[in-house]
Amino acid sequence: MPQHILLTGATGYIGGRLTPRLLGRGHTLRCLVRDADRLGGLDWTDRAGIVEGDVLKADTLPAALDGIDTAYYLIHSMAAGEGFAGRDRRAAENFGTAARAAGVQRVIYLGGIKPAGSDVSKHLQSRIETGEALRQAGPPLTEFRAAVIVGSGSASFELIRHLVERVPVLITPRWVLTRTQPIAIRDVLCYLMDALTIPETAGRVIEIGGPEVLTYEDMFRTYAEVRGLGRPIIHVPFLTPKLSSLWAGLVTPISPEIARPLIQGLKSEVVVTDEGGMALFDVSPIPYEAAVRLALERFRQDAVETSWSGSLSSSLGGKVAHELTSKEGLISDRRELTVEASPASVFAVVKAIGGENGWLYGNPLWAIRGILDQLAGGPGLQRGRRNRSDVHVGEAIDFWRVEEIEEGQLLRLRAEMKVPGRAWLQFEIEPSAPCADGTPRSRITQTAFYEPKGLLGLAYWYAILPVHPSIFKGMIRELGRRAEKREAAAQTLEPESV
């Protein structure tokens, strides 16, 4: 029977994939988000209700939970910011209390498997405490507990993928010998959805995992074999989680702040000890190698649905996202260019910047800036982009995050690199009078905004000022050239193809 469902975490890795699948099963869905604009451009938003609220602000929750049968709680801290465990507990208590008061029949939560023994990382402990808070404050809870989730774009898989792809000899700490039970993202989604139809899952803790128990070394080796890569593994016992996270921050898209709690959790064995919960489901989890092949195929097809970097919690330090609300008082570098191409052709090029596509001009200089940012604790260029040709609000593109999109007209990126201030990069496209032969024309306005913080911020701006003319001038010229090339290619196609 279709249900009225509230889903939290729709902008995150799991929630972003679960949402369209729940809608596909005929459920009435409402998504609770802090910023509704971050769902702009997704193809399912016209079929779901969107309500703004914050689980840390209890007064925003009753309206979101009104009339709801089942609520999914898919919120947790990715970054190890000071006090994150306390915030997670308070958020869960607020949500559980509001759900019970609203008459919600059940809450479904995805957490982590509790490790054996007493050596539990703060990250895993927080996931377990979140489940306890939901159970005590709210309606009957279905708590799924999983270990490593294997899927295109997941933080754990990206850590493995980039280490194996980029490092010819893997120098590894002792945690690579820790056993775990990885599970494919497709199987996690099946469990989360099928729980709606199995009443016996209410009030239970259900551990889920794939059919194999593997060490992290096993996972590295299997990935390398699937990719046809020779990767010797050398164990170095003195590598601490802190050193490992710094190394991961340089080699992978995962920042040290996010890698550290993940790596600390890798020290503990997390395997399914009670298969009774899984026995309630008609789900046959696929092996790790099959999950790797499916994830890599998603990358090959450029069909990654969601990425770990899409959630706000992946922003370094858990900072609140700032928006560019006024140009007054900002330092700016503004450039304009008119090109013989339609706004659609120009915008297609604009939407594709970053990641593997590069930054139009001066890519070696962008690479150096990315390395410097990583050394300063920023994300650098490692995060790349989820899709080579499309983006939506809230997505990460290297060390930028998409703040606003107006299709065919505007793309604004907010800097998440380490700078003494705040920065934005904006592209505006307007139609211009066509050429005499009817060829469309567009005017491109490219603006870099910078809001310095104190004297250090001003010093930073003037220090990099000498390279700005070359970089930004080159960017807009290359943007125009690629747009005109794209327009010319489109004009040569048959009308029905266009």
Side-chain angles (χ1 to χ4, degrees):
M1 293 289 293
Q3 295 189 30
H4 292 273
I5 295 173
L6 177 73
L7 185 138
T8 65
T11 60
Y13 179 72
I14 301 290
R17 300 193 180 205
L18 187 61
T19 300
R21 288 165 173 79
L22 290 172
L23 289 168
R25 291 195 176 186
H27 298 293
T28 301
L29 189 64
R30 185 185 302 160
C31 297
L32 174 67
V33 294
R34 283 179 286 176
D35 182 2
D37 289 340
R38 297 193 67 245
L39 296 178
L42 297 176
D43 57 11
W44 51 260
T45 51
D46 59 340
R47 295 180 287 142
I50 309 297
V51 59
E52 289 190 341
D54 188 337
V55 289
L56 287 171
K57 299 177 181 177
D59 59 342
T60 67
L61 300 178
L65 289 159
D66 183 44
I68 294 298
D69 300 316
T70 300
Y72 283 89
Y73 192 84
L74 302 175
I75 298 173
H76 65 89
S77 295
M78 281 290 292
E82 188 67 27
F84 78 96
R87 289 194 298 272
D88 275 358
R89 284 195 303 273
R90 187 166 70 254
E93 290 167 358
N94 288 345
F95 190 84
T97 300
R100 176 176 288 181
V104 174
Q105 298 170 19
R106 181 158 48 135
V107 173
I108 300 176
Y109 166 66
L110 176 62
I113 293 178
K114 185 176 182 179
S118 57
D119 186 15
V120 182
S121 71
K122 292 181 179 179
H123 175 65
L124 285 176
Q125 185 62 40
S126 176
R127 302 295 299 276
I128 295 165
E129 290 176 357
T130 296
E132 290 294 336
L134 288 170
R135 191 167 14 257
Q136 293 175 13
L141 179 69
T142 299
E143 180 181 358
F144 288 101
R145 292 181 177 178
V148 175
I149 296 178
V150 183
S152 57
S154 78
S156 299
F157 183 67
E158 288 298 274
L159 195 66
I160 293 171
R161 183 169 78 96
H162 281 82
L163 283 172
V164 177
E165 293 281 355
R166 297 180 176 182
V167 183
V169 178
L170 293 172
I171 309 298
T172 60
R174 286 175 295 184
W175 56 256
V176 297
L177 300 177
T178 302
R179 298 196 316 157
T180 187
Q181 196 161 346
I183 182 170
I185 178 61
R186 60 184 292 174
D187 295 325
V188 173
L189 295 173
C190 285
Y191 282 117
L192 288 170
M193 289 187 294
D194 290 355
L196 293 169
T197 64
I198 305 175
E200 295 84 356
T201 61
R204 289 198 61 159
V205 172
I206 301 171
E207 297 178 339
I208 56 176
E212 307 151 299
V213 174
L214 304 171
T215 66
Y216 290 93
E217 181 175 330
D218 294 333
M219 290 192 284
F220 286 144
R221 292 191 187 282
T222 299
Y223 182 95
E225 290 171 3
V226 169
R227 290 284 289 115
L229 301 171
R231 291 294 184 263
I233 298 177
I234 301 175
H235 300 155
V236 179
F238 58 79
L239 278 177
T240 65
K242 182 177 181 179
L243 289 174
S244 298
S245 64
L246 291 174
W247 172 240
L250 290 173
V251 179
T252 79
I254 315 298
S255 69
E257 285 81 359
I258 295 173
R260 190 173 305 165
L262 288 177
I263 290 174
Q264 286 174 339
L266 303 184
K267 298 185 301 179
S268 303
E269 180 174 296
V270 282
V271 299
V272 174
T273 58
D274 179 4
E275 297 183 355
M278 287 197 297
L280 299 172
F281 295 81
D282 186 20
V283 176
S284 298
I286 63 174
Y288 172 72
E289 181 179 334
V292 169
R293 293 185 183 278
L294 284 172
L296 291 175
E297 181 64 16
R298 284 284 190 177
F299 284 112
R300 190 188 68 80
Q301 295 177 353
D302 200 17
V304 179
E305 291 181 67
T306 58
S307 170
W308 68 273
S309 61
S311 65
L312 278 178
S313 62
S314 68
S315 299
L316 295 179
K319 297 177 182 177
V320 176
H322 296 282
E323 292 187 356
L324 178 60
T325 56
S326 172
K327 298 178 183 178
E328 185 177 354
L330 298 180
I331 300 173
S332 64
D333 184 315
R334 179 186 176 95
R335 298 172 188 272
E336 291 188 358
L337 179 68
T338 299
V339 297
E340 295 183 4
S342 66
S345 293
V346 178
F347 200 67
V349 179
V350 168
K351 288 200 300 184
I353 62 174
E356 295 179 359
N357 300 327
W359 286 90
L360 297 174
Y361 180 83
N363 284 317
L365 293 177
W366 284 99
I368 293 171
R369 182 64 182 88
I371 293 171
L372 293 175
D373 186 59
Q374 284 183 277
L375 293 174
L381 301 182
Q382 300 284 5
R383 294 189 301 192
R385 41 184 300 144
R386 175 189 58 86
N387 185 286
R388 284 192 293 268
S389 60
D390 193 29
V391 293
H392 58 73
V393 173
E395 280 196 329
I397 302 179
D398 292 329
F399 45 32
W400 301 88
R401 190 170 294 274
V402 181
E403 184 171 272
E404 185 173 348
I405 295 178
E406 294 179 20
E407 187 64 32
Q409 301 178 60
L410 180 141
L411 174 69
R412 184 163 70 238
L413 306 176
R414 184 185 71 253
E416 291 190 341
M417 65 189 78
K418 291 288 188 179
V419 293
R422 295 186 291 167
W424 295 262
L425 180 60
Q426 179 170 286
F427 298 90
E428 299 170 272
I429 300 98
E430 296 177 290
S432 188
C435 300
D437 62 359
T439 301
R441 296 200 304 169
S442 302
R443 182 169 68 250
I444 306 169
T445 303
Q446 172 190 285
T447 311
F449 297 99
Y450 179 62
E451 183 183 65
K453 184 177 181 180
L455 291 176
L456 182 60
L458 286 172
Y460 169 80
W461 173 262
Y462 288 110
I464 62 175
L465 193 59
V467 301
H468 275 190
S470 174
I471 291 291
F472 291 131
K473 182 179 179 180
M475 284 184 69
I476 195 168
R477 284 186 172 179
E478 180 63 14
L479 170 56
R481 187 191 71 80
R482 293 188 189 185
E484 290 180 342
K485 182 178 179 181
R486 185 182 184 90
E487 184 69 29
Q491 296 297 332
T492 61
L493 297 176
E494 295 296 327
E496 58 268 23
S497 299
V498 176

